[in-house]
């Protein structure tokens, strides 16, 4: 794989700075450059600075770096990664661009400016270094005309989507002279090191995602004008009911910025050869009017929606296009929308919506038929395969299904016939595809996925680094299974324990399969991975079950459930074979405790990880509090100062802190220094399996009951005093203080002398006793009920 240790980003605007931050997340040293300011600010004048002062000359890039630390959502995995970025300017730092392994142009979207920059860059460019443009739609080939053949071979487009940390799509756009090897190397690097989903796009206006997405939005605006739909009606149909984000059409436009959207549409209209396509991308009069009024969306405070505040609170107003004024936003209901809401999965939702037979079913069909026909017409003009088109729309626009996947879901043959009957022309390759007897665009045969590639059928196989639990289970590799979990053989004599209960919440079925899996792995496997392909890894224990038992005061049953949880976690921890957990996204409460039982964690970088039980009036009792006490003792060493480490653990648990990323979880002490994170979600299971084999090779310590040095009754007093101080200051409630007292008792080891060594089972007993005691508190049960009903904590 290509080595990229240093990079330079030219242009410190929103995209340039965001790309620099995400490169820093990957461990790359970045030079962020911008132009030299032409005038002083008032603050600089007051400080007696001149235009030649280094702070003034670097101000634009330095200010951009400072803004990154205030940006929400956070662009850095860990705010300390900002130190990997060095701000500068394109005059003083220009010669140092020769040191960069990769140079990214992210300046204003004007062809002549980009050409001039590249021509100047050629003089300092080191042959072999990659040069790319982050343009969202300007021709790569037109830019490349300003440089010679050697640099052209190393030049391509790398179109990141905003924000670069969170949006997974990168479109790679080679020019006519770009070396195929450069494209392949950058695709690999972006996927593995930066965790991106990469598609190779052709050098056409707006590339893949923005070409299809912009057409779909404009087609929807056209339908609105033709049929008289309201803003709210359009958004009710074009959001989750069609497998698209909640922002639907008009909230998306407001978020993007109406002026930005107009610029993107104009780019296609200005470069399209087909007169029909130019008409399709013509900006409607209402958008032009809104932009001229300065109603640009969220950044200007109003667009298609407007939020107003009054004594009665905030209200959302929606635009009335006929009056060009705002009125209270309406809630849209219909039988077809209700049916779509009740259906499970994007495919079923779309089918339910389309079959409703009402006004909104017709709107959904009219939107889809135009978008699907356009995607088919342009597919091989903008990409090599329909799979790349679908991937670009899923990752770039957050569609649950790309256009061709959606077409399969609603019935390819039937919908194509309906389009034909309604006068919608389909490209020849689609009619030929149907004439050959194909009923879908995608099909599987002998483990391969077959689909259209430049109009012909192609075969795709997942790379060996991409292990799919779904595919493995389809191939009959399930070893054990029940309603909540499965044990799957993932090759190399390694098994994977997969949670698949609702929300992956841990209940008796999962705990039972954990214990069965331990025995199966002990007999027949080299080790175990804990991973799944759910939206979130695990949101914790089955809170509903615990609440029901607590409300019935079935304390023996609550005790039995917690003992079962503790026993399962302890058996995982004491398995003499390697256990590796692979959490992703939301990993909370019991999900964290399952990971704490593993010998190593290989987390996805976007893992939001925390022991959050205090939010529902409890403390971690599946081994989480015990593990935090153990980690505090290990970090302090045999004779080190332990209280500080315990204080930190007390704060992390007591405040129910959740990490903003996997590296942040290490900073909080929830992950160990030996744990690691990967940026590629697709490779995570492969990397976890590899970690199992590495641990087996290196050897594991014999499992057993660890003795844990604790701070004892004196240390508990320190923790309790801290909680009382916060209570007196009004920072926490009386019930928060009670929870903190229980937590302090467990973390400190109870009423033993300072420095005493206690067993894991002793701390587990303390955990369980504290948990049971808190379950008996009415305010804890109120917190549990509120969380189940509202999905957020109650502070009582």
């Amino acid at each position: 794989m290509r080595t990229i240790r240093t990079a330079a980003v030219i242009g410190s605007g929103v995209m340039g700075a965001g790309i620099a931050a995400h490169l820093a997340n990957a461990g790359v040293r970045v030079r962020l450059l911008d132009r030299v300011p032409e005038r002083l600010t008032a603050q600089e004048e007051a400080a007696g600075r001149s235009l030649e002062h280094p702070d003034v000359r670097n101000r634009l890039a330095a200010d951009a770096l400072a803004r990154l630390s205030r940006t929400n959502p956070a662009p850095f995995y860990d705010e300390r990664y900002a130190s990997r970025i060095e701000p500068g300017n394109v005059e003083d730092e220009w010669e140092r661009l020769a040191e960069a392994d990769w140079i990214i142009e992210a300046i204003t979207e004007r062809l002549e400016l980009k050409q001039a920059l590249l021509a100047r860059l050629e003089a300092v460019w080191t042959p072999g270094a990659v040069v790319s443009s982050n343009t969202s739609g300007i021709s790569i080939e037109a830019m490349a005309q300003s440089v010679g053949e050697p640099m052209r071979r190393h030049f391509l487009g790398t179109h990141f989507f905003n924000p670069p940390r969170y949006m997974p799509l990168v479109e790679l756009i080679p020019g006519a002279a770009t070396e195929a090897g450069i494209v392949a190397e950058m695709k690999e690097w972006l996927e593995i090191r930066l965790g991106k989903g990469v598609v190779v796009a052709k050098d056409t206006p707006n590339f893949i995602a923005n070409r299809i997405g912009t057409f779909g939005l404009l087609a929807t605006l056209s339908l609105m004008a033709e049929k008289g739909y309201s803003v709210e009606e359009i958004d009710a149909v074009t959001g989750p009911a069609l497998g698209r984000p909640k922002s639907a059409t008009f909230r998306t436009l407001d978020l993007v910025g109406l002026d930005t959207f107009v610029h993107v549409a104009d780019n296609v209209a200005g470069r399209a050869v087909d007169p029909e396509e130019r008409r399709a991308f013509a900006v409607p009069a209402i958008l032009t009017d809104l932009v001229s009024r300065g109603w640009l969306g969220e950044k200007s405070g109003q667009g298609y929606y407007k939020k107003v505040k009054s004594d009665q609170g905030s209200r959302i107003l929606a635009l009335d296009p006929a009056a060009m004024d705002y009125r209270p936003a309406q809630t849209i209901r219909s039988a077809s929308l209700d049916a779509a809401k009740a259906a499970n999965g994007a495919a079923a939702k779309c089918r339910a919506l389309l079959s409703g037979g009402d006004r909104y079913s017709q709107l959904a069909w009219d939107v889809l038929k135009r978008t699907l026909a356009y995607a088919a017409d342009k597919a091989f003009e903008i990409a090599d395969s329909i799979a790349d088109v679908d991937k670009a729309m899923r990752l770039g626009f957050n569609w649950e299904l790309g256009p061709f996947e959606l077409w399969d879901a609603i019935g390819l043959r039937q919908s194509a016939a309906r389009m034909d009957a309604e006068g919608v022309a389909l490209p020849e390759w689609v009619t030929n595809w149907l004439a050959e007897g194909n009923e879908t665009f995608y099909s599987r045969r002998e483990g391969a996925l077959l689909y259209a590639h430049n109009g012909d059928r192609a075969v795709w196989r997942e790379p060996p680094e991409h292990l799919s639990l779904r595919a493995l289970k389809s191939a009959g590799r399930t070893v054990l299974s029940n309603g909540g979990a499965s044990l799957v053989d993932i090759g190399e004599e390694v098994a994977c324990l997969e949670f698949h209960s609702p929300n992956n919440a841990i209940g008796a079925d999962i705990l039972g399969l954990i214990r069965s899996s331990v025995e199966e792995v002990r007999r027949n496997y080299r080790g175990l991975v804990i991973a799944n392909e759910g939206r979130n890894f695990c949101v914790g224990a089955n809170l509903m079950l615990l609440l029901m038992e607590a409300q019935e005061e079935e304390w023996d049953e609550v005790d039995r459930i917690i003992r079962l949880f503790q026993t399962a976690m302890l058996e995982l921890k004491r398995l003499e074979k390697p256990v590796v957990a692979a959490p992703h996204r939301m990993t909370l409460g019991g999900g964290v405790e399952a990971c704490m039982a593993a010998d190593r964690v290989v987390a996805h970088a976007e893992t939001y990880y925390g022991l959050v039980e205090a939010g529902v009036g409890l403390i971690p009792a599946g081994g989480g509090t015990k593990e935090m006490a153990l980690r505090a003792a290990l970090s302090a060493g045999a004779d080190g100062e332990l209280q500080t480490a315990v204080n930190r653990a007390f704060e992390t648990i007591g405040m129910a802190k959740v990490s903003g990323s996997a590296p942040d979880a290490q900073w909080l002490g929830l992950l160990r220094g030996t744990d690691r994170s990967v940026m590629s979600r697709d490779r995570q299971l492969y990397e976890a399996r590899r970690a199992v084999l590495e641990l087996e090779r290196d050897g594991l310590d014999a499992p057993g009951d660890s003795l844990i040095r604790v701070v004892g009754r004196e240390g508990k007093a320190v923790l309790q005093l801290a909680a009382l101080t916060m209570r007196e200051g009004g920072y926490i409630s009386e019930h928060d203080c009670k929870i903190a007292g229980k937590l302090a008792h467990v973390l400190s080891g109870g009423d033993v002398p300072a420095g005493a060594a206690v067993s894991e089972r002793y701390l587990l007993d303390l955990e369980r006793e504290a948990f049971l005691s808190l379950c008996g508190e009415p305010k804890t049960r109120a917190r549990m009920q509120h969380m189940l009903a509202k999905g957020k904590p109650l502070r009582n």
Side-chain angles (χ1 to χ4, degrees), residues 229-237 241 329-342 353 356-361 363:
Y229 291 104
S230 70
V231 166
E232 302 98 311
E233 286 178 314
I234 294 288
D235 275 358
V237 170
Q330 306 297 309
T331 299
I332 306 300
R333 296 290 301 272
S334 81
S336 64
L337 289 168
D338 287 346
K341 187 175 181 179
L353 178 60
D358 60 19
R359 169 180 174 84
Y360 302 117
S361 297
L363 171 57

Side-chain angles (χ1 to χ4, degrees), residues 599-615:
D599 299 297
R600 182 161 299 168
V601 175
V602 177
H604 183 232
E606 296 295 347
T607 297
Y608 316 120
Y609 198 82
L611 294 166
V612 295
E613 286 83 353

Side-chain angles (χ1 to χ4, degrees), residues 40-56:
L40 297 170
T41 65
Q43 293 87 346
E44 288 167 342
E45 287 181 344
R49 300 276 170 82
S50 73
L51 286 173
E52 297 307 309
H53 193 284
D55 289 349
V56 174

Side-chain angles (χ1 to χ4, degrees), residues 666-732:
Q666 284 184 305
W667 178 244
L668 290 173
L670 293 164
L671 289 176
R672 299 159 294 199
T674 53
D675 297 329
R676 66 189 187 92
S677 62
V678 294
M679 295 179 77
S680 171
R681 179 80 177 94
D682 286 342
R683 285 177 59 92
Q684 187 183 8
L685 184 55
Y686 168 82
E687 293 292 347
R689 186 182 70 179
R690 191 169 75 165
V692 165
L693 300 177
E694 289 173 351
L695 285 168
E696 184 200 40
R697 180 198 64 204
D698 295 341
L700 289 172
D701 292 335
D705 192 358
S706 301
L707 288 178
I708 303 167
R709 186 165 68 97
V710 294
V711 292
R713 65 178 70 92
E714 293 88 346
K716 179 170 72 170
V718 172
L719 301 180
Q720 290 174 326
L721 178 60
L724 285 169
T725 302
M726 292 190 72
R727 174 71 188 100
E728 291 300 318
Y731 297 107
I732 62 175

Side-chain angles (χ1 to χ4, degrees), residues 743-766:
L743 175 61
H745 183 71
V746 180
L747 268 179
S748 64
D751 295 317
V752 298
V758 300
S759 70
E760 290 187 74
R761 289 189 182 276
Y762 169 80
L763 286 182
L764 288 174
D765 288 342
L766 293 186

Side-chain angles (χ1 to χ4, degrees), residues 770-793:
F771 190 94
L772 282 164
S773 171
L774 288 168
C775 281
E777 295 286 340
K779 287 187 176 182
T780 283
R781 293 201 293 272
R783 288 190 180 193
M784 294 166 75
Q785 196 155 14
H786 190 272
M787 177 62 75
L788 288 167
K790 305 292 186 181
K792 55 185 179 182

Side-chain angles (χ1 to χ4, degrees), residues 21 71 209 271 316 344 373 420 472 483 491 507 514 615 755 763:
T71 300
R271 293 175 58 195
I316 301 296
N344 290 320
D420 183 61
L472 288 165
I514 287 174
L763 286 182

